[in-house]
Amino acid sequence: MATLSDVRRIAAELPGSEERATTGGAAWFVRNKIFAWEGHPWPSIPAAAREIIANELVLVVKISDQIEARALRHMNPAVFLPETTKWSEPKIAFRMEGIDVDHLGELVIEAWRLQAPQYLRREYDAQHPAVN
């Protein structure tokens, strides 16, 4: 089971990554663009997802497109939540208790890559050649 400490550790290794406290909890940004955040049960979220978010630790990350979101939900519907809100699409929300740390790392790093400028992605790639 992954924790917010795991998210913090992973994000700390990403160039330009910055954690901020927000109204909804912790959030991670790169160059003022959000790439991951702690889920919060906002009233605009459909009731079923809102109930899960209110009772469990849920992380939300940016993804490349809605096709990826559908694939993740299909792969593991017990972990990946149905749509939440249209805000900050495309994104995927998932139950942290159902994600192992390796998969969490993949999701957070890919979310960061989607938001990071090219020079920061190149810096990361130079430091982690096996990941490329």
Side-chain angles (χ1 to χ4, degrees):
M1 177 174 91
T3 66
L4 280 181
S5 294
D6 294 318
V7 178
R8 287 183 173 102
R9 180 184 48 76
I10 294 162
E13 297 176 9
L14 302 170
S17 176
E18 170 187 0
E19 181 179 348
R20 298 181 194 165
T22 65
T23 305
W28 290 267
F29 295 79
V30 60
R31 302 287 296 167
N32 291 317
K33 292 182 177 181
I34 195 167
F35 66 90
W37 59 97
E38 192 175 349
H40 186 75
W42 300 108
S44 59
I45 294 174
R50 189 171 59 244
E51 184 175 339
I52 293 167
I53 294 168
N55 293 303
E56 298 180 34
L57 177 58
V58 171
L59 193 73
V60 186
V61 296
K62 295 291 287 181
I63 56 173
S64 59
D65 56 37
Q66 289 304 327
I67 295 169
E68 182 180 1
R70 282 193 298 275
L72 288 167
R73 287 182 191 113
H74 180 73
M75 177 182 75
N76 198 340
V79 173
F80 293 95
L81 273 57
E83 290 186 44
T84 55
T85 65
K86 295 299 180 196
W87 177 82
S88 199
E89 289 288 350
K91 66 181 181 297
I92 190 79
F94 54 90
R95 295 171 149 144
M96 290 287 283
E97 71 179 24
I99 293 287
D100 66 49
V101 175
D102 289 339
H103 196 186
L104 175 69
E106 292 171 13
L107 292 164
V108 170
I109 292 167
E110 183 58 28
W112 172 85
R113 292 183 74 79
L114 289 167
Q115 298 293 70
Q118 188 174 31
Y119 76 94
L120 289 177
R121 293 191 312 266
R122 280 195 303 262
E123 180 182 330
Y124 178 82
D125 292 344
Q127 295 171 358
H128 301 86
V131 175
N132 303 334

